[in-house]
Amino acid sequence: MRATVWSGRNKVSVENVPDPKILNARDAIVKISSTAICGSDLHLYDGYVPTMRKGDILGHEFMGEIVETGGDVTNLKVGDRVVVPFPIACGACNACAREMFSLCENSNPNASTAEKLWGDSTCGIFGYSHAAGGYAGGQSEYARVPFADVGPIKIESDLSDEQALFLSDVFPTGYMGAELCDIKPGDIVAVWGCGPVGQFAIASAYLLGAERVIAIDRFDYRLTMAREKSGAETINYEQASVREALREMTGGRGPDACIDCVGLEAHHHHGGMYAYDRVKQATRMETERGYALREAIFNCRNGGTVSIMGVYGGFMDKFPIGAVMNRGLTIKTGQCHVHRYLRPLLQRIEKGDIDPSFIVTHRMSLDDASTGYETFKHKQDECVKVVMTP
Amino acid sequence: MPVPFLVPCREDTPARSSRGTPAAGGDALHHADDRHRKPVQRGQPVVHSSRELRDVCGRVGDRGELVQVAADTERPALRVEAYDAQWSAANDAARAADGPLWVVLGDSAAQGVGASSYDAGYVGVVRDRLVAADARPWRVVNLSRSGARTRDVLDEAALWRNVEGFPDFMTHLEEVRSTGPNTSHWKARGPLGTTVEWEAEITDDVPGERIAWRSVEGSKIDNSGTVRFVTAPGDQGTELHVEMRYSPPAGAVGATIAKMFGEEPGIQLKDDLRRFKAIAETGEIVRSDGSPEGPLGRRQLKQRPAHPQPDEELAGASTNGGGS
Ligand SMILES: NC(=O)c1ccc[n+]([C@@H]2O[C@H](COP(=O)([O-])OP(=O)(O)OC[C@H]3O[C@@H](n4cnc5c(N)ncnc54)[C@H](O)[C@@H]3O)[C@@H](O)[C@H]2O)c1
Ligand SMILES: [Zn+2]
Ligand SMILES: [Zn+2]
């Protein structure tokens, strides 16, 4: 089959690889109908995530049709149309029982590697480095899905692929980012980053009852999308001081909750600061560029919540722990526990509360994956989300 | 909430408990060839939603499944009124009848508490569905108890008492054979295709608490181990505390043996425990493209690329640590 393969920093290519096979009795094979590129894939593409190997198949946002099931999978049958959540979870361990599926204790065969990096392991994740299990991803024609009796959700209504696909990751991720903020009536929520995750965090904050949402980015077309699709107010951080604008917009209090939807490759308009972190990151003295997170912490209202959905991989300099401690902030974060949100969010889509397809700007063939990565990485041609079809 | 357990049992095999005595009313179930087959789903998992229930039931018809039942499952302390008398009578009738057998372990939900009659709870409903689905006279023996918890009915220690299953999760072992009620023959893999063998005996076995074994006098390699079972606080499941000791003989043979027990025995033991946990909780050791053998220390540094492997390569990588 054809698959999008990581071939080193800034290089992906579509290559022929063997078809996936059932390796465990609880596996299923999915013939992929639509697959997307995620901001998380950019961290791999840019070489910031350790434990990648040449030849790894990328992709963790995919859906399609079941073409084969292992002997122990009885809830799915050939022909079922499913969306596959990006975390791989067994459904039976303590973490799964507590619905913290991205912390599943049985799905990462490379747990001891992850443990060295982070102190303990996360779940396995499709196409997301060897520390996350060394699983082939889904930017390909077919994918093997372990624990298929637990993860995939069947789509039985007539939703289009583009309406259902983002249940695999970015819609639940944005939703969880907002849910962690424990939004109460009257709350003002600020969201850093207006990529797909940010767009869904904004929309979800409104779904969960936020009074106002303030979106921060530097790309006007993304800010326009946040305004037009979800009704957010916006700040372009290259044109205004984020701090001053936020204070002004919140009566001097600061937002009640701040959501980081940027992650470890944050950009900074201040040349000096940006150069400082870039050099340190390039020389591996720190692994993150943390402006968005620092700014979110610094500007959050006293006693408020900072929810981190952007991905971080290691260690950060100048972490404003003094602000967190003295001003009584709460930090909440995690890889999204996608399984928890599949059903309720599918219902919301089916009821028409939200149509997630609004983020799609680019549609292309899987064969053009490398163009897709470049376009999305450099935010060319007003790109927000690339969906590929094999 | 304590969790109901559904325990399918194969009709044609007379079942015995892992301790060799008839367990839990004579209907429970463990046969050596099915060991380690399937979810002894431990911890808090499972059968909450009707979807999951359906999934489990879907597995009932086609195969017998491993489950090991603690001998004191019917312990009176667990009994409350519920539909106990009705189920006892129904169980007696089921034991006397013919047909495929479904043994139910669980708590008040499986007792049918809250339903209008004892068999109008989910157990009755599922049994009716089974009968409707495959047109065979399914029998139910319901061993559930109100207020039961997982560990009241499932016996993790049985997995450890079953030494022949050790190679499934201890990757340096090639084979363990039972040679008597308390004795066994062990064969471990070494570097470059070498093996070493020894005899071991169980030295201590306190059900639900600990099990210990050691090599017998005169073995080439002197080793021993203990597994203790400790209930985790807050009903989170069972903690396994494992200690392994070995003293290889001096000289070149000793060095080889030291190597095969792992250059980093701590990591190896941890991976073995991960594999044990996976078998106990999910019924399988999950394989990935990078680590087709499952958790395996020596595979961590030599990951295969994360894309499907050709058949020839997969053939060499089994989940009990074979191949490389
Ligand atoms: N936690 C999870 O489970 C999870 C799941 C999916 C994605 N993610 C992460 O979420 C993040 C966003 O993903 P995406 O797909 O939306 O990516 P994206 O690249 O499309 O979006 C990132 C946005 O952040 C903006 N940005 C950069 N620096 C900024 C700054 N200093 N202040 C404000 N905005 C800034 C960029 O302009 C861009 O629009 C990534 O880190 C991704 O890895 C996490
Ligand atoms: Zn993603
Ligand atoms: Zn799990």
Side-chain angles (χ1 to χ4, degrees), chain A residues 1-234:
Chain A
M1 66 165 183
R2 285 169 309 125
T4 308
V5 161
W6 189 85
S7 338
R9 190 179 271 237
N10 285 321
K11 255 198 269 150
V12 300
S13 45
V14 177
E15 291 177 8
N16 281 316
V17 298
D19 286 349
K21 284 177 275 290
I22 302 275
L23 300 182
N24 284 107
R26 294 171 67 181
D27 291 353
I29 307 288
V30 173
K31 179 176 196 292
I32 292 166
S33 58
S34 293
T35 175
I37 307 177
C38 177
S40 302
D41 295 324
L42 295 181
H43 304 322
L44 308 174
Y45 186 62
D46 296 341
Y48 288 112
V49 177
T51 74
M52 288 296 291
R53 284 187 50 122
K54 289 189 179 155
D56 290 351
I57 299 178
L58 296 169
H60 57 265
E61 300 182 359
F62 59 96
M63 65 180 294
E65 188 188 315
I66 302 284
V67 290
E68 195 183 345
T69 55
D72 284 351
V73 179
T74 52
N75 58 320
L76 298 173
K77 53 185 192 319
V78 171
D80 282 347
R81 183 170 176 237
V82 295
V83 178
V84 179
F86 79 81
I88 301 171
C90 78
C93 68
N94 238 297
C96 287
R98 287 181 294 149
E99 303 206 320
M100 301 178 88
F101 297 97
S102 73
L103 300 174
C104 174
E105 296 158 3
N106 288 318
S107 63
N108 187 350
N110 298 337
S112 57
T113 296
E115 202 174 283
K116 288 201 183 94
L117 284 173
W118 300 313
D120 209 332
S121 169
T122 61
C123 67
I125 298 178
F126 294 101
Y128 201 64
S129 87
H130 290 261
Y135 288 99
Q139 285 161 7
S140 51
E141 287 182 273
Y142 296 89
R144 163 187 171 243
V145 178
F147 298 121
D149 51 343
V150 176
I153 184 169
K154 268 193 248 185
I155 307 296
E156 282 156 324
S157 50
D158 56 359
L159 294 179
S160 68
D161 269 24
E162 288 181 8
Q163 287 172 306
L165 175 62
F166 304 121
L167 285 171
S168 59
D169 179 352
V170 285
F171 182 19
T173 297
Y175 189 89
M176 177 164 135
E179 194 185 66
L180 293 180
C181 296
D182 199 9
I183 295 169
K184 287 180 280 301
D187 276 2
I188 304 178
V189 179
V191 176
W192 274 256
C194 294
V197 174
Q199 299 290 342
F200 284 120
I202 295 163
S204 304
Y206 279 119
L207 287 175
L208 291 168
E211 179 84 20
R212 289 162 58 201
V213 181
I214 302 169
I216 303 158
D217 204 304
R218 76 186 155 117
F219 293 106
D220 277 325
Y221 73 93
R222 291 185 166 211
L223 293 169
T224 304
M225 180 181 273
R227 267 197 311 273
E228 287 178 356
K229 300 297 177 183
S230 305
E233 298 160 57
T234 55

Side-chain angles (χ1 to χ4, degrees), chain B residues 220-275:
Chain B
K220 215 181 282 168
I221 164 163
D222 177 22
N223 69 92
S224 60
T226 310
V227 185
R228 285 186 302 121
F229 306 92
V230 178
T231 302
D235 222 2
Q236 294 181 64
T238 307
E239 297 169 1
L240 298 183
H241 296 251
V242 181
E243 267 173 60
M244 301 264 211
R245 267 167 265 109
Y246 72 97
S247 32
V253 181
T256 307
I257 290 174
K259 201 161 186 184
M260 85 207 225
F261 274 79
E263 266 129 43
E264 294 183 274
I267 290 183
Q268 177 165 315
L269 180 56
K270 209 157 177 192
D271 277 331
D272 286 351
L273 283 173
R274 284 197 174 98
R275 301 160 75 85

Side-chain angles (χ1 to χ4, degrees), chain B residues 157-180:
Chain B
L159 283 174
W160 286 94
R161 208 170 290 114
N162 174 20
V163 290
E164 296 193 345
F166 279 23
D168 288 358
F169 58 92
M170 291 191 178
T171 55
H172 66 284
L173 294 178
E174 192 168 299
E175 188 194 24
V176 181
R177 225 170 347 96
S178 263
T179 50

